Amino acid sequence: MSKQNLKPPRGTRDLYPEDQRFREWLFGHFREVAARFAFEEVDAPIVERASLFMRKAGEEIVDQLYHFELHGRHLALRPEMTPSIARMVMARAGGLRMPLRWFTVTQNWRYERMTRGRKREHYQWNMDIYGEPSVTAEAELIAAVTTLVDRVGLERDHVKIRVNSRSLLEASLRAGVLRDRPEVFEPLCVVIDKIEKIGADKVTDMLVDPAGAVQLDAASARDVVAMLEVKNLEDAVAAAPADSSAGSDLLRLWSLLSAYGIEDRVVFDASVVRGLAYYTGIVFEAFDTRGALRSICGGGRYDRLTETLGGPSIPAAGFGFGDVVIAELLADMNKLPELQHPVDDVVFAFDEAQRAAAIDVATRLRGAGHRVELVLGTPKLKRVITDADRDGVDTLWLVGPDEVERGVVKQRRLATGEESELPLDSFAVEPRG
RNA sequence: GUGGGCGUAGCUCAGUUGGUUAGAGCGCCGGAUUGUGAUUCCGGAGGUCGCGGGUUCGACCCCCGUCGUCCACCCCA
């Protein structure tokens, strides 16, 4: 046997019990929030036809796909969940009661460079609404995000959500600088998505760049960048063309968010456009207010995706919420939960002669829904108690020679040290779970 | 992709200006008389110094490559 590298591949993670406990805790909150909003969970294969992801996104995404040819088929690990959901909706579009609310918690893969908060595999919570054209859908989605933020223990001012409308921007540009070239709207969004990181001057340069995809004149580029710097909803709405509903949609959204009581948790930001090509309307992203981390989640309206995939036109909105950035934020804020190995009862036979009796006790407890650790060897009692205490065990069942001879089992409550003896063959068990 | 930092015990790290048997704290295992949780004390296991080459009488240390990781830039959810 030659030596081999036993580390997990770059950008992937092993999850030890303490890691997995955290993940299950987080996923539990994802699922519970989704349930409270009456979303149903769905799933899809982690391997899809590569074309599902390449169709709209272009070559850069292709480079980030984990993809391979097998028996002449071009397959890929899913980099995001949205196309799979769209595919599933399209397949049953005629029979689904709209609007439908679906959520997923899935592992996604992207072959790309790693930085803080970005790995090659990560889990993502997606919530999607299909068949609802009004911003009541976006409002519900944003409310779900804030509910999750609260549930995991973050403070109200740790996270805020930036909101913009791509259709507002698009309407303004089509009435102006893009009047004759509507097709450059998407590349323009890709450029201005960077404004937070590279600054207004560089974005202006890129918009003007004669070798670039947009090629505006200098004055138009400055106008566009000036539009993005609007941080005030009223100013943005006032600047919107009269023939667009984008302004009134934004106002409606704000009034809905106010009804949810979360108006203070969203900020209008005209520079938020999101990087994905399929967004068409409201877009939003959650960020930590210190500005130290990447976006915590992102989403928006994507009314044309099903059409783009060759299906019927179905309005849709949704978001993806990753497990990596939220974990880093919780760590930074010192809000990581302390999670124990969940054990309710420990059953201990002092000696192998009491093994059968101990197994019987454990089996009856397990039958009543208890999580029971049966001590497998015969360590010292002191050790058993110390370990059980550290795991937060509720009850220790002591099955010794003395007890068995008298037909009893000794029950010790770890929290109080209180002990009592119960009949071995007929003790009552409180149901749990 | 470019530049830089790092990689020594399960974890966090020291260390040797190149020189016999590589260290600490925490953790883990065992013990401090007979069946009860703390503290303390004692003892123990565990490392081919990321991996592979090279230089050297001799490499954990120097050089090259490689893998992993972090940061910045780049790119992008």
Side-chain angles (χ1 to χ4, degrees), chain A residues 341-352:
Chain A
H341 175 203
V343 179
D344 300 318
D345 302 83
V346 167
V347 180
F348 177 50
F350 285 67
D351 205 299
E352 288 307 322

Side-chain angles (χ1 to χ4, degrees), chain A residues 89-164:
Chain A
V89 171
M90 289 161 61
R92 293 195 178 179
L96 294 168
R97 180 167 65 92
M98 300 283 182
L100 68 80
R101 302 164 171 88
W102 283 356
F103 81 96
T104 54
V105 179
T106 61
Q107 189 180 37
N108 297 342
W109 294 80
R110 291 197 182 112
Y111 194 84
E112 61 184 338
R113 283 177 221 116
M114 294 168 52
T115 57
R116 186 174 189 203
R118 176 68 62 91
K119 304 194 179 298
R120 287 182 174 174
E121 56 83 16
H122 72 292
Y123 280 80
Q124 206 174 60
W125 172 44
N126 272 252
M127 287 182 72
D128 291 277
I129 297 174
Y130 278 77
E132 176 50 57
S134 82
V135 293
T136 54
E138 286 94 319
E140 188 82 341
L141 293 166
I142 290 169
V145 170
T146 62
T147 302
L148 188 284
V149 167
D150 292 342
R151 280 188 64 103
V152 296
L154 291 168
E155 310 281 341
R156 197 175 178 92
D157 62 353
H158 284 162
V159 174
K160 289 205 187 298
I161 299 174
R162 293 192 185 100
V163 179
N164 188 27

